[in-house]
Amino acid sequence: MTTLLLVRHGLTAMTGPVLAGWTPDVHLDERGLEQARAVAGRLAPLELDAIVSSPLERCQETAAAIAGGRPVSVQTDDRFGECGYGEWTGRPLKELAKEPLWQVVQAHPSAAVFPGGEALADVQSRAVRAVREWNERLGEKATYLVCSHGDVIKAIVADALGLHLDQFQRIAADPASVTVIRYTPLRPFLLRSNDVGGDVANLVPPAGVPEQEDGGETTTVSDAAVGGGSGTT
């Protein structure tokens, strides 16, 4: 089983009021830098086999904070880059909310194609393909981190949950939040979503072989708990 930590970048001056997209030279502001340091501290107990980042500065800076003091360096994968918003890039969200396409993005994102930019379905396709390739490359015992953007993270989570892309707006990914997916041979498990606080002790992969005897029955790491289970401890 492979454990993937998805971290959204910290705050920038544009986060919230403006759709930054691929605008160059958008860096973490003081709030974002503090968030990056805080999430790095929270994740310190976890050994990471790789740290991968979107090429955009705000993600690179967040990932660099997490990589500080670790024996791994930040690797860049363009497939985790922000959605290409095309002509919407750099425009205020209040202004964009008046566009007819806004309602499509909200209610039927699978049909949304940004003028001069990407389709949200294509964003999901490239991001999920990247996750699968990194899972294969790093192996079933790996724990690794990807620093990316809100819509990209939401699209990956929707895929892991088996949700149609039209449901991905029900998922939240706040700045500097941690979302965790554990991929097993049978299915992914969403361990955390939009987590902005707390320790990470339960994210340490359990020791043992893929199959374990439980009350005389054989279970696997792909089996979901029935009745809720007793947790990971």
Side-chain angles (χ1 to χ4, degrees):
M1 55 187 179
T2 309
T3 303
L4 167 63
L5 284 73
L6 295 163
V7 175
R8 186 182 171 193
H9 63 80
L11 286 165
T12 75
M14 297 180 74
T15 306
V18 177
L19 191 62
W22 282 77
T23 303
D25 296 322
V26 177
H27 298 272
L28 298 180
D29 60 17
E30 287 301 320
R31 301 168 301 164
L33 290 170
E34 179 57 34
Q35 288 177 323
R37 289 190 287 265
V39 75
R42 286 181 55 216
L43 298 179
L46 290 177
E47 294 185 11
L48 298 176
D49 295 286
I51 298 176
V52 188
S53 176
S54 155
L56 295 172
E57 293 91 347
R58 54 195 184 273
C59 284
Q60 292 281 324
E61 291 163 357
T62 305
I66 296 169
R70 294 179 180 271
V72 294
S73 58
V74 177
Q75 302 181 67
T76 300
D77 191 327
D78 289 354
R79 295 173 296 180
F80 293 121
E82 180 63 285
C83 175
Y85 294 114
E87 296 172 14
W88 278 31
T89 302
R91 293 177 61 187
L93 292 181
K94 288 184 178 180
E95 178 183 299
L96 292 173
K98 300 175 183 177
E99 297 277 355
L101 181 60
W102 183 266
Q103 291 305 316
V104 179
V105 173
Q106 295 302 313
H108 304 291
S110 65
V113 181
F114 295 98
E118 274 187 295
L120 277 171
D122 291 339
V123 174
Q124 183 183 50
S125 178
R126 63 167 161 87
V128 169
R129 185 168 61 252
V131 167
R132 290 173 180 164
E133 290 181 10
W134 279 100
N135 287 355
E136 180 69 21
R137 183 185 310 180
L138 295 172
E140 63 180 16
K141 295 182 180 180
T143 298
Y144 74 105
L145 181 146
V146 169
C147 187
S148 189
H149 308 267
D151 281 347
V152 179
I153 291 171
K154 289 159 57 177
I156 293 170
V157 173
D159 173 79
L161 292 176
L163 296 177
H164 194 281
L165 185 60
D166 285 347
Q167 309 302 320
F168 101 132
Q169 296 292 25
R170 302 183 182 197
I171 301 165
D174 292 331
S177 63
V178 178
T179 294
V180 185
I181 303 169
R182 182 162 286 159
Y183 291 87
T184 78
L186 184 59
R187 61 168 66 89
F189 290 91
L190 180 63
L191 302 186
R192 293 196 183 190
S193 179
N194 198 37
D195 181 10
V196 293
D199 65 56
V200 294
N202 72 323
L203 299 182
V204 176
V209 295
E211 295 191 347
Q212 57 189 24
E213 296 296 326
D214 184 9
E217 297 295 330
T218 299
T219 61
T220 76
V221 294
S222 293
D223 289 338
V226 177
S230 60
T232 57
T233 57

